[in-house]
Amino acid sequence: MVAYTFDNLPASEEEIDFSDLERKFAIPEQEETLENVVVVDNLPIVDPSKVDKLIGVLQNKVFKSSGKFKANGVHMPMAEVDGATNSKGYAFIEFETAEQAQTAIRNVNGYLLSKNRNLLVNPFMDVERYTEVESEYRAPPAEPYVEREHLKWWLADDAARDQFVTYVDQNLSVFWNEPVQPAELVKSWPNLSTSQLKWSPHGSYMCTLHSHGLALWGGPSWKELMRFVHVNVKNAEFSPSERYLVTYSPTPISVDALNKLMGPEKQHLNPYTGADDGNTVCVWDVRTGTLLRSFSTPKNADGTPAMIMWPYFKWSPSEKYFARMTQGASISVYEAPSMMMLDSKSIKVPGIQGFAWCPQVLKDARTGASRPEMLAYWTPEEGNLPARVSLISVPNRELVRTKNLFNVFAASLHWHPSGQMLCVRVQRHTKSKKSRFTNLEIFRTGERDVPVDVVELTDTA
């Protein structure tokens, strides 16, 4: 502001220069964002009289554990068709924070609202981005065909030799196993730091675990085929046919921390989004390296990750399903590759102590058609209720067979590789509880009504 005296006073208020004060006390413009808004699709189409009831269901049931809606934060578009006004089947919901919106997407996308109605929940910013796609199609440039190496090349070895790997003093080496002469070196990686080595079930890949993630190696040249970013990874497990890979790290995922670690040049390689923050288990597509979904794990009272049983997930033989157990409470079955929970709810099994998938898809003896996949679980005695072994089919959740067991203090499930029989090792105590004995309950799952044979092992504790 210009310094005024009695000699140069302005004639009116409009002539006073306030520019310096405006600059000093200017309020910075707030960047508008809609990251706290989600789009909920596949809602029931209702008339105006039922809109408030539907919003109440969304707020008090469907999204109750995900976050709070802003006041008047639900917008449900309406349309008039043939003289009747109804909703369009979708709604925009504004949460108090962007974090709550991400939680809602993670928890509710795929939610089973009714028997044949799954909700679809997506970020509003994604919808806005897709609307800005150019209307004129432009064909992407054709990439030249590059022949890939055969991952099972070692099966064509003239001497039918196997391979094995060693890791000594940070030197990783792969050898041909020779029956008489010294092993023949195939490939060596000097000064390779790895915390763990693992072969895939069919030997197609060798997996090495590192501080920032893990890598897959294979083919005649033993080159790096794929890399997965998972900081401080401690465990990795392949699905039976090697299509999926499950990894675990005790360090919760943090998108911001990983961006800082990777640096500006490599942030585009960060596979995680805000929906993954805090999770510790990841499921990946082995062929493409794509992160399919991340999962949280139980926590201790102080908020640190609790000890988990590994493998965290168990896969069905077809790889269409994978499941995890909440000790003493339930089995959660997920579908692949969608990664959505089957029927949007867990299978409640109070007291459950263990479960196992049948290792093969069995055939119907009369028609030859494939039967539903099957898993077995057991629950201990509780009060007046006996211990129990149960077989259920997936995905229809029908009970195939159950058997009550008495005086049981432990049990373990062991499937025959063909899936035709399940052996349950049952450890019992006598009525006086002064001695113990073991018997085998053998379920013949390949036969009608699943008969059970009992083998007593009186001399085995």
Side-chain angles (χ1 to χ4, degrees):
M1 180 183 292
V2 178
Y4 293 106
T5 67
F6 286 106
D7 297 328
N8 65 346
L9 284 176
S12 64
E13 183 180 344
E14 287 75 14
E15 296 179 8
I16 300 176
D17 182 8
F18 292 104
S19 58
D20 56 340
L21 294 177
E22 291 172 350
R23 287 193 300 270
K24 182 177 180 180
F25 297 102
I27 299 175
E29 293 184 4
Q30 299 295 321
E31 183 180 353
E32 292 187 6
T33 177
L34 295 172
E35 292 182 355
N36 63 325
V37 179
V38 301
V39 183
V40 184
D41 204 355
N42 204 27
L43 289 171
I45 296 175
V46 297
D47 60 53
S49 65
K50 297 181 180 179
V51 167
D52 289 341
K53 182 178 180 180
L54 179 56
I55 291 176
V57 171
L58 295 175
Q59 186 168 11
N60 301 320
K61 180 182 178 182
V62 178
F63 291 96
K64 183 178 180 180
S65 61
S66 301
K68 294 183 178 180
F69 296 179
K70 277 191 172 183
N72 300 317
V74 180
H75 175 59
M76 195 172 297
M78 310 293 287
E80 185 176 341
V81 179
D82 297 331
T85 301
N86 291 298
S87 64
K88 290 186 174 182
Y90 62 91
F92 303 95
I93 298 178
E94 186 176 6
F95 286 87
E96 291 183 345
T97 65
E99 290 73 20
Q100 291 179 4
Q102 291 291 342
T103 302
I105 295 168
R106 182 169 62 248
N107 293 347
V108 184
N109 188 32
Y111 181 90
L112 187 67
L113 186 65
S114 59
K115 185 176 181 181
N116 296 312
R117 187 180 298 278
N118 292 83
L119 298 184
L120 302 175
V121 185
N122 292 285
F124 178 80
M125 298 298 289
D126 281 3
V127 178
E128 187 178 61
R129 185 168 66 249
Y130 297 146
T131 60
E132 296 173 356
V133 176
E134 295 181 6
S135 58
E136 183 179 350
Y137 171 73
R138 295 184 181 180
E143 297 184 3
Y145 171 73
V146 178
E147 185 175 358
R148 293 186 177 184
E149 296 180 342
H150 201 295
L151 296 178
K152 291 185 172 61
W153 62 279
W154 45 273
L155 291 174
D157 180 58
D158 293 338
R161 297 172 295 179
D162 291 324
Q163 292 183 335
F164 66 92
V165 62
T166 63
Y167 184 64
V168 182
D169 293 333
Q170 293 193 339
N171 289 319
L172 180 67
S173 302
V174 177
F175 296 88
W176 285 114
N177 185 37
E178 299 285 356
V180 179
Q181 59 192 26
E184 178 185 341
L185 178 66
V186 179
K187 178 74 174 181
S188 181
W189 295 265
N191 302 317
L192 180 68
S193 177
T194 179
S195 60
Q196 191 180 144
L197 297 170
K198 184 179 288 288
W199 289 101
S200 63
H202 299 305
S204 305
Y205 307 97
M206 180 180 68
C207 178
T208 57
L209 277 62
H210 311 274
S211 59
H212 292 171
L214 61 160
L216 299 185
W217 312 79
S221 65
W222 280 103
K223 64 181 180 181
E224 184 180 295
L225 302 174
M226 196 65 64
R227 183 174 294 188
F228 305 89
V229 180
H230 199 176
V231 176
N232 198 28
V233 61
K234 296 300 182 185
N235 295 94
E237 190 76 22
F238 288 88
S239 60
S241 297
E242 307 179 336
R243 182 176 178 183
Y244 303 103
L245 177 66
V246 182
T247 61
Y248 166 74
S249 169
T251 304
I253 295 168
S254 171
V255 176
D256 293 339
L258 186 55
N259 281 339
K260 292 179 181 178
L261 181 65
M262 301 179 77
E265 300 81 7
K266 294 185 178 180
Q267 285 185 10
H268 65 284
L269 298 177
N270 187 342
Y272 305 107
T273 66
D276 301 306
D277 273 346
N279 293 342
T280 54
V281 173
C282 297
V283 182
W284 310 83
D285 187 307
V286 170
R287 300 169 189 170
T288 65
T290 304
L291 174 66
L292 299 176
R293 183 173 174 181
S294 64
F295 295 83
S296 60
T297 50
K299 294 184 178 180
N300 298 314
D302 59 359
T304 58
M307 184 75 69
I308 66 170
M309 297 293 292
W310 193 258
Y312 189 62
F313 289 112
K314 295 182 181 180
W315 292 85
S316 71
S318 70
E319 296 186 341
K320 290 181 180 179
Y321 309 100
F322 60 105
R324 62 176 172 176
M325 178 182 71
T326 300
Q327 191 82 13
S330 63
I331 301 174
S332 299
V333 181
Y334 299 86
E335 297 180 88
S338 69
M339 301 289 118
M340 300 304 302
M341 185 182 292
L342 183 64
D343 296 334
S344 300
K345 58 184 178 181
S346 299
I347 303 171
K348 303 297 182 184
V349 187
I352 184 171
Q353 296 298 303
F355 81 99
W357 287 96
C358 176
Q360 297 291 335
V361 178
L362 302 180
K363 302 287 186 181
D364 187 282
R366 290 172 295 177
T367 65
S370 296
R371 292 163 52 183
E373 301 194 59
M374 186 164 49
L375 61 79
Y377 63 85
W378 79 278
T379 55
E381 296 181 66
E382 185 175 353
N384 294 326
L385 298 177
R388 182 173 297 165
V389 175
S390 302
L391 297 171
I392 61 171
S393 59
V394 176
N396 50 21
R397 304 184 181 215
E398 292 181 358
L399 185 65
V400 177
R401 181 71 157 88
T402 186
K403 184 177 183 184
N404 294 335
L405 305 171
F406 300 90
N407 301 321
V408 175
F409 70 88
S412 55
L413 308 172
H414 307 275
W415 282 97
H416 188 277
S418 68
Q420 297 288 330
M421 288 181 284
L422 168 68
C423 176
V424 183
R425 180 175 183 256
V426 183
Q427 295 176 273
R428 306 174 185 261
H429 50 71
T430 59
K431 291 184 178 180
S432 64
K433 297 187 178 181
K434 293 183 178 180
S435 59
R436 298 177 176 181
F437 64 98
T438 299
N439 71 277
L440 306 179
E441 306 276 343
I442 300 177
F443 293 70
R444 289 189 275 174
T445 53
E447 300 180 24
R448 187 177 181 180
D449 297 329
V450 191
V452 180
D453 298 330
V454 180
V455 179
E456 299 287 349
L457 304 176
T458 55
D459 295 332
T460 304

